[in-house]
Amino acid sequence: MEYIYAALLLHKAGKKVDENGVKAVLTAAGVAADESRIKALIAALDGVNIEEAISKAAAAPVAVAAAAPAAHAAAAPAKEEHKEEDKKQEEESGMAGLGALFG
């Protein structure tokens, strides 16, 4: 995670996100930098618009939070229908039991 934070810090500071920059940030923070992880991060970020990725990531939780109440509201009627069916089945089975009792 600290590798991503280093890249974001460089981006926010207006610096180029490259291997040397990420390594410098990690070293300044007291993190032992792993060259292979730095290279993998830089390769993964190649061609990525970081501002766009940040804005999409910030919008995702809002969309999920907005969808949650709607999904809950849609599930509520289904639960009520299920309860009504269960109650009806209980009544019918109770009537059948009474019929067997009284012949």
Side-chain angles (χ1 to χ4, degrees):
M1 202 58 139
E2 59 270 4
Y3 293 83
I4 295 170
Y5 290 147
L8 289 173
L9 184 62
L10 287 168
H11 174 74
K12 183 69 174 173
K15 309 263 183 194
K16 183 177 179 186
V17 180
D18 60 5
E19 292 178 28
N20 292 331
V22 172
K23 184 175 181 179
V25 170
L26 292 172
T27 303
V31 176
D34 180 357
E35 292 291 330
S36 62
R37 290 181 75 184
I38 293 172
K39 288 179 189 271
L41 174 67
I42 299 304
L45 291 175
D46 186 36
V48 173
N49 181 338
I50 295 175
E51 283 299 320
E52 183 179 325
I54 291 171
S55 67
K56 284 183 180 178
V62 174
V64 170
H72 180 68
K79 287 181 182 177
E80 289 298 322
E81 288 177 15
H82 186 64
K83 286 181 184 177
E84 289 176 14
E85 289 175 10
D86 287 346
K87 189 175 180 179
K88 186 175 180 180
Q89 286 177 350
E90 286 176 15
E91 289 175 2
E92 288 175 358
S93 67
M95 292 295 206
L98 287 175
L101 182 63
F102 294 112

